[in-house]
Amino acid sequence: MRIIKNEKLIVRNGKIGQWLSLAALVVLGIGMYISFAKPELFTYSIICLVVGFIMTQVGMYMGSRWGKSPRPDEKLDAGLKGLHSEFNIYHYSSPVSHLLVGPSGIWILLPYHQRGKVSFEKNRWKMKGGGFLQNYMRIFGQENLGRPELDAENEVKTLQKFFAKNMDESDIPEIKPILVFTADEVELDAGDSPIAAMKMKQLKEFLRQGGKNRALSSEQIAEITELLPKE
């Protein structure tokens, strides 16, 4: 498998996350100082605390995605190690965050690292459990599962528009999203989800089996990868 990733973007955003987290501590510290030392400036204290809290949340999000190792791209690379050389995976270097092109087709990979029980019920993804830390992070928006089906739909549309600008629409192969749950502790019940969903350890074999049916020929793979970055 060939790996193409935007290292500069990863390093830059990782540093932004670190600086945001440090700046958040400073702002929160100022807010606390004002609240105790200058109570007459209580309004400014509240502003500092609110701004600092928001900066903390953004810093934590960017840190988990871009700075904290293993990052989502690293987890996908490790889980797919050993795939056939015709597979090409793109991290932050294509119109979507994680794109896999190979004999089994064009796949948009959407990684989720939630723990606990994740299930698809009544046309919605739901999650339960995961421990105190997971529940805390969920309350403050860091570990929410959100709406994976909407994320997948938007990613597919983005990639379709990109291909439509560079090739005949009739030649664009089917683009399929797949939800990948990377945490070993997750309990997954995809039910009747319209989108393929599986644990990380299942993904490689799933793609290998799909590759046996040759959804894309070598010529099609070459045509598609020609439109994407080479490194």
Side-chain angles (χ1 to χ4, degrees):
M1 180 180 71
R2 191 164 63 107
I3 301 171
I4 303 95
K5 64 177 68 181
N6 190 337
E7 296 284 2
K8 290 183 179 179
L9 180 68
I10 293 172
V11 171
R12 185 196 70 187
N13 287 353
K15 289 181 178 178
I16 291 174
Q18 291 177 345
W19 284 109
L20 266 176
S21 295
L22 290 174
L25 292 176
V26 173
V27 174
L28 288 171
I30 293 172
M32 292 295 291
Y33 170 79
I34 293 175
S35 65
F36 288 107
K38 299 181 180 295
E40 67 276 13
L41 300 177
F42 180 74
T43 300
Y44 293 100
S45 171
I46 293 298
I47 291 173
C48 286
L49 292 175
V50 170
V51 171
F53 177 78
I54 294 173
M55 291 172 65
T56 298
Q57 299 306 301
V58 176
M60 289 173 65
Y61 169 78
M62 295 194 70
S64 64
R65 184 176 184 183
W66 304 98
K68 185 179 179 181
S69 186
R71 303 184 309 263
D73 60 292
E74 293 174 330
K75 291 179 181 179
L76 290 171
D77 291 343
L80 297 176
K81 185 178 180 180
L83 273 182
H84 193 277
S85 59
E86 280 195 283
F87 281 93
N88 300 267
I89 191 166
Y90 301 84
H91 299 297
Y92 314 116
S93 57
S94 78
V96 297
S97 296
H98 307 285
L99 174 66
L100 183 72
V101 179
S104 62
I106 299 177
W107 294 93
I108 294 175
L109 307 179
L110 294 99
Y112 295 90
H113 55 273
Q114 281 76 5
R115 298 172 177 83
K117 184 176 181 180
V118 179
S119 59
F120 186 78
E121 305 172 18
K122 299 179 180 179
N123 297 318
R124 289 289 297 271
W125 283 94
K126 301 178 181 180
M127 60 182 299
K128 302 176 183 177
F132 172 78
L133 181 60
Q134 178 93 15
N135 291 326
Y136 170 82
M137 297 290 281
R138 194 181 307 154
I139 290 172
F140 293 106
Q142 293 300 316
E143 295 289 342
N144 275 325
L145 188 58
R147 297 291 301 275
E149 68 277 11
L150 297 182
D151 295 338
E153 181 181 348
N154 290 333
E155 294 262 271
V156 168
K157 287 180 178 178
T158 297
L159 194 57
Q160 286 175 332
K161 288 180 180 179
F162 170 78
F163 285 138
K165 291 179 181 179
N166 295 280
M167 58 194 301
D168 293 335
E169 291 194 27
S170 59
D171 294 332
I172 300 175
E174 181 182 6
I175 300 170
K176 293 168 283 189
I178 182 167
L179 312 183
V180 184
F181 292 86
T182 60
D184 292 333
E185 302 88 344
V186 70
E187 295 179 39
L188 179 62
D189 181 5
D192 57 352
S193 169
I195 303 172
M198 63 192 65
K199 297 175 72 169
M200 183 74 251
K201 62 183 180 181
Q202 300 170 309
L203 182 60
K204 182 162 65 174
E205 185 59 28
F206 173 82
L207 294 168
R208 279 177 170 168
Q209 293 300 321
K212 292 179 180 179
N213 298 323
R214 296 296 316 198
L216 292 181
S217 66
S218 298
E219 291 74 19
Q220 287 175 302
I221 294 173
E223 180 182 5
I224 292 165
T225 55
E226 187 64 30
L227 302 174
L228 297 167
K230 305 297 185 293
E231 58 181 30

XYZ file of all heavy atoms in Angstrom, residues 54-112:
467
model
N -13.436 27.899 25.669
C -13.591 27.624 24.237
C -12.254 27.267 23.613
O -12.137 26.320 22.829
C -14.225 28.842 23.522
C -15.667 29.050 24.002
C -14.200 28.637 22.003
C -16.308 30.318 23.484
N -11.214 28.022 23.961
C -9.882 27.743 23.422
C -9.398 26.365 23.861
O -8.746 25.650 23.098
C -8.898 28.822 23.884
C -9.138 30.191 23.280
S -8.095 31.482 24.020
C -6.457 30.942 23.511
N -9.731 25.986 25.098
C -9.347 24.660 25.584
C -9.999 23.563 24.755
O -9.345 22.573 24.385
C -9.761 24.493 27.058
O -9.075 25.450 27.856
C -9.426 23.099 27.562
N -11.284 23.725 24.456
C -11.999 22.716 23.671
C -11.419 22.583 22.259
O -11.221 21.480 21.757
C -13.489 23.079 23.588
C -14.200 23.134 24.927
C -14.024 21.859 25.721
O -14.390 20.778 25.283
N -13.445 21.983 26.905
N -11.144 23.731 21.634
C -10.572 23.707 20.286
C -9.176 23.088 20.315
O -8.812 22.276 19.461
C -10.518 25.131 19.687
C -9.822 25.109 18.323
C -11.922 25.698 19.539
N -8.386 23.451 21.328
C -7.038 22.894 21.449
C -7.057 21.393 21.656
O -6.243 20.668 21.083
N -8.003 20.905 22.474
C -8.120 19.467 22.709
C -8.523 18.739 21.435
O -8.005 17.657 21.125
C -9.143 19.210 23.812
C -8.678 19.623 25.204
S -9.981 19.501 26.453
C -10.266 17.735 26.468
N -9.441 19.342 20.679
C -9.874 18.719 19.426
C -8.717 18.628 18.436
O -8.461 17.572 17.846
C -11.020 19.523 18.814
C -11.358 19.104 17.401
C -12.108 17.954 17.163
C -10.906 19.836 16.308
C -12.402 17.553 15.867
C -11.190 19.445 15.019
C -11.939 18.305 14.799
O -12.219 17.896 13.514
N -8.004 19.732 18.276
C -6.896 19.738 17.320
C -5.767 18.832 17.784
O -5.102 18.181 16.981
C -6.392 21.166 17.109
C -7.412 22.069 16.448
S -6.717 23.621 15.837
C -5.738 23.037 14.451
N -5.569 18.771 19.107
C -4.521 17.897 19.632
C -4.812 16.434 19.369
O -3.921 15.668 18.989
N -6.084 16.019 19.555
C -6.434 14.617 19.342
C -6.380 14.240 17.869
O -6.098 13.091 17.522
C -7.838 14.337 19.899
O -8.820 15.075 19.188
N -6.644 15.196 16.991
C -6.668 14.902 15.554
C -5.305 15.059 14.900
O -4.936 14.284 14.022
C -7.680 15.815 14.858
C -7.831 15.510 13.383
C -8.899 16.364 12.741
N -9.085 15.994 11.345
C -9.925 16.619 10.513
N -10.657 17.627 10.943
N -10.022 16.222 9.260
N -4.541 16.076 15.352
C -3.310 16.408 14.638
C -2.040 16.200 15.447
O -0.961 16.076 14.877
C -3.348 17.881 14.187
C -4.527 18.235 13.363
C -5.673 18.831 13.817
C -4.714 18.036 11.963
N -6.550 19.010 12.774
C -5.983 18.532 11.628
C -3.913 17.480 10.969
C -6.483 18.489 10.343
C -4.401 17.428 9.678
C -5.676 17.931 9.372
N -2.149 16.201 16.773
C -0.935 16.175 17.568
C -0.711 14.900 18.350
O 0.400 14.379 18.403
N -1.749 14.404 18.991
C -1.611 13.247 19.861
C -1.386 11.980 19.043
O -2.131 11.690 18.125
C -2.858 13.092 20.730
C -2.765 11.980 21.746
C -4.041 11.919 22.589
C -3.985 10.790 23.590
N -5.230 10.699 24.396
N -0.354 11.241 19.378
C -0.051 9.993 18.660
C -0.564 8.802 19.465
O -0.459 8.778 20.693
C 1.460 9.881 18.457
O 1.798 8.776 17.669
N -1.155 7.795 18.778
C -1.329 7.725 17.326
C -2.518 8.556 16.835
O -3.610 8.491 17.400
C -1.587 6.234 17.083
C -2.241 5.757 18.346
C -1.605 6.545 19.453
N -2.258 9.321 15.788
C -3.301 10.122 15.167
C -4.218 9.221 14.336
O -3.881 8.063 14.065
C -2.671 11.179 14.258
C -1.685 12.121 14.940
C -1.199 13.172 13.959
N -0.715 12.566 12.729
C 0.559 12.307 12.463
N 1.498 12.600 13.340
N 0.915 11.756 11.319
N -5.364 9.758 13.899
C -6.250 8.950 13.061
C -5.569 8.376 11.819
O -5.778 7.211 11.466
C -7.360 9.946 12.669
C -7.418 10.890 13.818
C -5.997 11.051 14.264
N -4.723 9.182 11.162
C -4.044 8.684 9.958
C -3.066 7.563 10.310
O -2.931 6.589 9.569
C -3.318 9.824 9.225
C -2.271 10.500 10.092
O -2.650 11.161 11.074
O -1.075 10.374 9.799
N -2.411 7.676 11.455
C -1.468 6.638 11.870
C -2.187 5.338 12.224
O -1.692 4.243 11.942
C -0.658 7.136 13.067
C 0.283 8.287 12.722
C 0.978 8.871 13.931
O 0.390 8.838 15.030
O 2.113 9.358 13.789
N -3.363 5.454 12.841
C -4.140 4.261 13.175
C -4.591 3.547 11.895
O -4.541 2.316 11.807
C -5.357 4.651 14.013
C -5.013 5.130 15.408
C -6.269 5.512 16.181
C -5.941 6.008 17.576
N -7.149 6.396 18.336
N -5.020 4.318 10.912
C -5.454 3.711 9.648
C -4.272 3.050 8.939
O -4.403 1.936 8.415
C -6.091 4.774 8.750
C -7.454 5.316 9.208
C -7.870 6.509 8.354
C -8.526 4.226 9.127
N -3.128 3.713 8.922
C -1.948 3.144 8.265
C -1.539 1.830 8.917
O -1.213 0.849 8.235
C -0.780 4.133 8.328
C -1.014 5.365 7.466
O -1.900 5.317 6.595
O -0.324 6.379 7.687
N -1.555 1.814 10.251
C -1.154 0.602 10.978
C -2.150 -0.525 10.734
O -1.756 -1.686 10.537
C -1.051 0.900 12.473
N -3.431 -0.195 10.732
C -4.453 -1.217 10.544
C -4.477 -1.791 9.140
O -4.890 -2.941 8.943
N -4.046 -1.009 8.160
C -4.086 -1.454 6.764
C -2.717 -1.903 6.248
O -2.584 -2.209 5.059
C -4.629 -0.322 5.877
C -6.065 0.099 6.166
C -6.464 1.283 5.288
C -7.033 -1.062 5.942
N -1.738 -1.923 7.124
C -0.391 -2.332 6.712
C -0.420 -3.731 6.091
O -1.020 -4.653 6.636
C 0.541 -2.328 7.921
C 1.988 -2.617 7.577
C 2.867 -2.544 8.817
C 4.321 -2.829 8.487
N 5.181 -2.751 9.701
N 0.195 -3.844 4.945
C 0.242 -5.142 4.281
C -0.721 -5.280 3.124
O -0.714 -6.308 2.431
N -1.561 -4.239 2.890
C -2.447 -4.298 1.731
C -1.626 -4.311 0.438
O -0.508 -3.816 0.393
C -3.400 -3.097 1.718
C -4.716 -3.203 2.487
C -5.521 -1.925 2.309
C -5.537 -4.414 2.051
N -2.236 -4.833 -0.614
C -1.583 -4.928 -1.925
C -1.069 -3.569 -2.391
O -1.627 -2.521 -2.061
C -2.591 -5.488 -2.939
C -1.961 -5.905 -4.224
N -1.672 -5.015 -5.239
C -1.566 -7.129 -4.669
C -1.134 -5.666 -6.251
N -1.053 -6.950 -5.933
N -0.012 -3.593 -3.160
C 0.639 -2.359 -3.618
C -0.252 -1.513 -4.523
O 0.039 -0.337 -4.740
C 1.934 -2.703 -4.364
O 1.655 -3.547 -5.478
N -1.333 -2.085 -5.036
C -2.247 -1.293 -5.873
C -3.109 -0.351 -5.041
O -3.745 0.548 -5.595
C -3.155 -2.210 -6.691
C -2.514 -2.777 -7.934
C -3.529 -3.370 -8.893
O -4.014 -4.485 -8.622
O -3.856 -2.706 -9.902
N -3.134 -0.544 -3.738
C -3.907 0.352 -2.877
C -3.109 1.628 -2.610
O -1.907 1.586 -2.346
C -4.251 -0.327 -1.553
C -5.405 -1.291 -1.643
C -5.177 -2.643 -1.877
C -6.713 -0.846 -1.496
C -6.228 -3.544 -1.955
C -7.771 -1.743 -1.576
C -7.542 -3.092 -1.806
N -3.808 2.760 -2.645
C -3.213 4.057 -2.348
C -4.087 4.755 -1.312
O -5.305 4.891 -1.515
C -3.153 4.931 -3.606
C -2.338 4.301 -4.711
O -1.144 4.546 -4.833
N -2.973 3.480 -5.545
N -3.492 5.193 -0.214
C -4.255 5.898 0.808
C -3.749 7.328 0.921
O -2.540 7.577 0.919
C -4.192 5.166 2.166
C -5.209 5.765 3.135
C -2.793 5.181 2.770
C -5.454 4.913 4.370
N -4.675 8.262 0.978
C -4.357 9.691 1.001
C -4.873 10.304 2.301
O -6.067 10.224 2.598
C -5.001 10.399 -0.192
C -4.557 9.867 -1.532
C -5.175 8.743 -2.092
C -3.532 10.481 -2.238
C -4.766 8.243 -3.322
C -3.122 9.984 -3.475
C -3.741 8.874 -4.010
O -3.337 8.375 -5.230
N -3.976 10.922 3.056
C -4.367 11.583 4.290
C -4.182 13.099 4.144
O -3.058 13.568 3.926
C -3.518 11.099 5.464
C -3.637 9.633 5.743
N -4.828 9.040 6.125
C -2.712 8.642 5.703
C -4.621 7.747 6.316
N -3.358 7.476 6.057
N -5.262 13.843 4.228
C -5.233 15.310 4.183
C -4.555 15.841 2.923
O -4.051 16.961 2.906
C -4.514 15.860 5.427
C -4.962 15.218 6.708
C -4.073 14.457 7.491
C -6.278 15.338 7.147
C -4.494 13.858 8.670
C -6.698 14.730 8.329
C -5.809 13.996 9.086
O -6.220 13.399 10.248
N -4.512 15.042 1.883
C -3.860 15.475 0.639
C -4.791 15.353 -0.563
O -4.375 15.577 -1.689
C -2.580 14.655 0.401
O -2.886 13.268 0.366
N -6.042 14.979 -0.303
C -7.055 14.905 -1.357
C -8.224 15.785 -0.926
O -8.174 16.392 0.152
C -7.509 13.445 -1.540
O -8.427 13.073 -0.519
N -9.268 15.895 -1.717
C -10.408 16.734 -1.308
C -11.080 16.280 -0.009
O -11.838 17.041 0.593
C -11.375 16.615 -2.492
C -10.499 16.302 -3.657
C -9.423 15.421 -3.105
N -10.844 15.038 0.424
C -11.398 14.546 1.689
C -10.246 14.148 2.614
O -9.114 13.975 2.170
C -12.342 13.344 1.460
C -13.547 13.771 0.620
C -11.625 12.186 0.783
N -10.534 14.001 3.901
C -9.458 13.776 4.876
C -8.727 12.455 4.669
O -7.497 12.399 4.719
C -10.029 13.842 6.299
O -10.524 15.137 6.577
N -9.483 11.361 4.464
C -8.865 10.034 4.339
C -9.503 9.297 3.156
O -10.682 8.939 3.209
C -9.059 9.230 5.629
C -8.609 9.950 6.857
N -7.274 10.101 7.189
C -9.312 10.589 7.826
C -7.183 10.793 8.311
N -8.404 11.087 8.715
N -8.731 9.082 2.133
C -9.227 8.480 0.904
C -8.400 7.246 0.557
O -7.166 7.283 0.592
C -9.143 9.493 -0.243
C -9.503 8.989 -1.638
C -10.976 8.599 -1.724
C -9.175 10.056 -2.689
N -9.088 6.166 0.222
C -8.404 4.933 -0.187
C -8.861 4.557 -1.590
O -10.063 4.473 -1.863
C -8.729 3.797 0.786
C -8.007 2.469 0.512
C -6.528 2.580 0.879
C -8.650 1.333 1.305
N -7.892 4.346 -2.461
C -8.181 3.952 -3.848
C -7.455 2.653 -4.126
O -6.242 2.542 -3.893
C -7.720 5.037 -4.851
C -8.007 4.585 -6.284
C -8.402 6.368 -4.558
N -8.180 1.658 -4.607
C -7.554 0.369 -4.877
C -8.479 -0.562 -5.625
O -9.554 -0.158 -6.082
N -8.097 -1.813 -5.755
C -8.902 -2.785 -6.507
C -10.327 -2.932 -5.984
O -11.243 -3.249 -6.753
C -8.121 -4.096 -6.312
C -6.716 -3.661 -6.052
C -6.837 -2.398 -5.269
N -10.548 -2.686 -4.684
C -11.892 -2.837 -4.122
C -12.757 -1.599 -4.336
O -13.935 -1.598 -3.978
C -11.810 -3.146 -2.626
O -11.192 -2.088 -1.926
N -12.185 -0.543 -4.919
C -12.963 0.649 -5.221
C -12.401 1.912 -4.612
O -11.249 1.961 -4.162
N -13.244 2.934 -4.586
C -12.882 4.215 -3.980
C -13.627 4.316 -2.655
O -14.860 4.302 -2.607
C -13.282 5.397 -4.893
C -12.560 5.303 -6.245
C -12.957 6.725 -4.213
C -12.963 6.386 -7.223
N -12.859 4.425 -1.571
C -13.441 4.440 -0.240
C -13.050 5.712 0.493
O -11.876 6.059 0.569
C -12.972 3.241 0.571
C -13.456 1.925 0.046
C -12.809 1.092 -0.831
C -14.699 1.297 0.337
N -13.568 -0.021 -1.087
C -14.744 0.078 -0.380
C -15.787 1.634 1.157
C -15.828 -0.789 -0.303
C -16.874 0.774 1.231
C -16.885 -0.426 0.500
N -14.040 6.374 1.047
C -13.785 7.483 1.963
C -13.817 6.903 3.368
O -14.831 6.349 3.803
C -14.840 8.589 1.812
C -14.724 9.250 0.433
C -14.674 9.642 2.909
C -15.809 10.273 0.146
N -12.703 6.974 4.058
C -12.604 6.411 5.405
C -12.901 7.494 6.440
O -12.272 8.554 6.428
C -11.201 5.842 5.634
C -10.692 4.847 4.581
C -9.282 4.386 4.936
C -11.624 3.657 4.463
N -13.841 7.224 7.306
C -14.188 8.167 8.365
C -13.873 7.510 9.711
O -14.641 6.676 10.195
C -15.669 8.554 8.294
C -16.060 9.359 7.046
C -16.685 8.450 6.009
C -17.028 10.468 7.401
N -12.723 7.829 10.308
C -12.317 7.186 11.563
C -12.985 7.811 12.785
O -13.133 9.031 12.880
C -10.802 7.421 11.588
C -10.605 8.676 10.819
C -11.675 8.715 9.773
N -13.371 6.950 13.713
C -13.947 7.383 14.990
C -13.239 6.605 16.092
O -13.045 5.394 15.964
C -15.451 7.112 15.035
C -16.242 7.925 14.029
C -16.482 7.438 12.749
C -16.718 9.187 14.352
C -17.174 8.189 11.815
C -17.423 9.948 13.426
C -17.646 9.441 12.167
O -18.342 10.188 11.240
